[in-house]
């Protein structure tokens, strides 16, 4: 009788141990599955399959306007950007959302976000047209490269040359940042290649102005 009781106790303990082991394995499996699932969800949240423009506007809050017609924020050169319009490249930082008298106010450091659809093989000329003249130098940067806008014969127009080495390769988002301590009203930002003749440059800028105006 004592032997039977001992055997029954052993069987019960064996069943308990088996149940306990099975439960632990099941819980560990469920935890592993849930961990993998949440890691996948986190990865998708960090690297969503959306356009560059969507990510820049909604996720990273880098740009001022959402323009679905420019999903890659691609900036063709030559281009003439009328800043009184809803240019998709404008940074959210620095710029007033509303334009006034054909110009947009840059209250502090801000600039442009864009990609280049074609590899830049020549130095790029950038011209800015302000609503009024400027007495002090205007510093800016393109990615990690730093430059200064120089005055021209026209009092409210300033030029700068950006070397090829300043631009990132591929479809990486480029950053042009203008550093100003006082508010400035911008009318135009023009991009062109230095190799273009003055006549070609004027025609290209005129064409770009008519084709790259964002309402």
């Amino acid at each position: 009788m004592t032997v039977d009781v001992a055997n029954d106790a052993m069987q019960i303990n064996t069943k308990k141990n088996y149940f306990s082991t099975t439960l632990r394995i099941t819980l560990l499996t469920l935890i592993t599955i849930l961990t993998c699932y949440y890691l996948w969800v986190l990865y998708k949240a960090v690297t969503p399959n959306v356009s560059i423009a969507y990510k820049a506007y909604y996720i990273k809050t880098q740009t001022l306007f959402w323009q679905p017609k420019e999903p890659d924020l691609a900036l063709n050169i030559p281009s003439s950007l009328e800043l009184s319009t809803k240019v998709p490249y404008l940074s959210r930082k620095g710029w007033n959302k509303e334009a006034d008298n054909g110009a947009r106010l840059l209250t502090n450091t801000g600039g442009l976000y864009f990609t280049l659809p074609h590899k830049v093989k020549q130095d790029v000329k950038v011209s800015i047209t302000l609503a009024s003249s400027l007495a002090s130098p205007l510093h800016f940067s393109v990615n990690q490269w730093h430059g200064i806008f120089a005055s021209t014969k026209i009092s409210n127009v300033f030029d700068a040359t950006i070397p090829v080495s300043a631009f990132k390769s591929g479809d990486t988002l480029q950053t042009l940042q203008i550093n100003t301590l006082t508010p400035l009203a911008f009318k135009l930002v023009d991009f062109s290649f230095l190799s273009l003749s003055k006549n070609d440059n004027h025609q290209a800028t005129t064409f770009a102005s008519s084709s790259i105006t964002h309402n």
Side-chain angles (χ1 to χ4, degrees), residues 77-79 122-123 125 191-205:
I77 301 176
S79 286
Q122 307 162 46
D123 292 347
K125 176 184 175 183
F191 292 85
S192 60
F193 290 117
L194 287 180
S195 62
L196 292 174
S197 66
K198 290 184 179 180
N199 185 51
D200 290 339
N201 186 34
H202 174 73
Q203 291 178 353
T205 302

Side-chain angles (χ1 to χ4, degrees), residues 118-210:
H118 307 290
K119 183 178 180 180
V120 175
K121 298 180 180 179
Q122 307 162 46
D123 292 347
V124 174
K125 176 184 175 183
V126 181
S127 296
I128 58 172
T129 302
L130 305 178
S132 59
S133 59
L134 181 66
S136 58
L138 187 59
H139 294 261
F140 75 104
S141 62
V142 175
N143 302 320
Q144 300 300 316
W145 181 87
H146 297 270
I148 299 176
F149 284 106
S151 58
T152 65
K153 293 180 179 179
I154 305 174
S155 62
N156 65 328
V157 178
F158 300 84
D159 291 345
T161 301
I162 305 173
V164 174
S165 58
F167 297 101
K168 299 176 183 178
S169 59
D171 58 356
T172 308
L173 197 63
Q174 317 276 340
T175 305
L176 189 155
Q177 180 172 282
I178 301 171
N179 305 309
T180 178
L181 299 176
T182 57
L184 294 174
F186 283 71
K187 289 187 172 182
L188 296 170
V189 177
D190 297 318
F191 292 85
S192 60
F193 290 117
L194 287 180
S195 62
L196 292 174
S197 66
K198 290 184 179 180
N199 185 51
D200 290 339
N201 186 34
H202 174 73
Q203 291 178 353
T205 302
T206 302
F207 171 79
S209 179
S210 63

Side-chain angles (χ1 to χ4, degrees), residues 51-119:
S51 69
I52 293 173
Y54 185 98
K55 187 182 296 184
Y57 181 79
Y58 284 106
I59 299 175
K60 296 187 175 182
T61 62
Q62 294 171 311
T63 50
L64 185 61
F65 298 111
W66 164 238
Q67 296 283 15
K69 292 183 180 180
E70 293 289 349
D72 298 323
L73 294 179
L75 176 68
N76 290 296
I77 301 176
S79 286
S80 183
L81 308 178
E82 295 183 20
L83 298 196
S84 61
T85 63
K86 293 183 178 181
V87 177
Y89 318 110
L90 289 173
S91 66
R92 191 170 303 190
K93 180 181 178 182
W95 298 103
N96 277 8
K97 194 161 188 179
E98 300 298 328
D100 185 37
N101 292 326
R104 189 177 302 278
L105 197 66
L106 180 65
T107 56
N108 50 57
T109 300
L112 306 172
Y113 289 102
F114 59 93
T115 63
L116 295 169
H118 307 290
K119 183 178 180 180

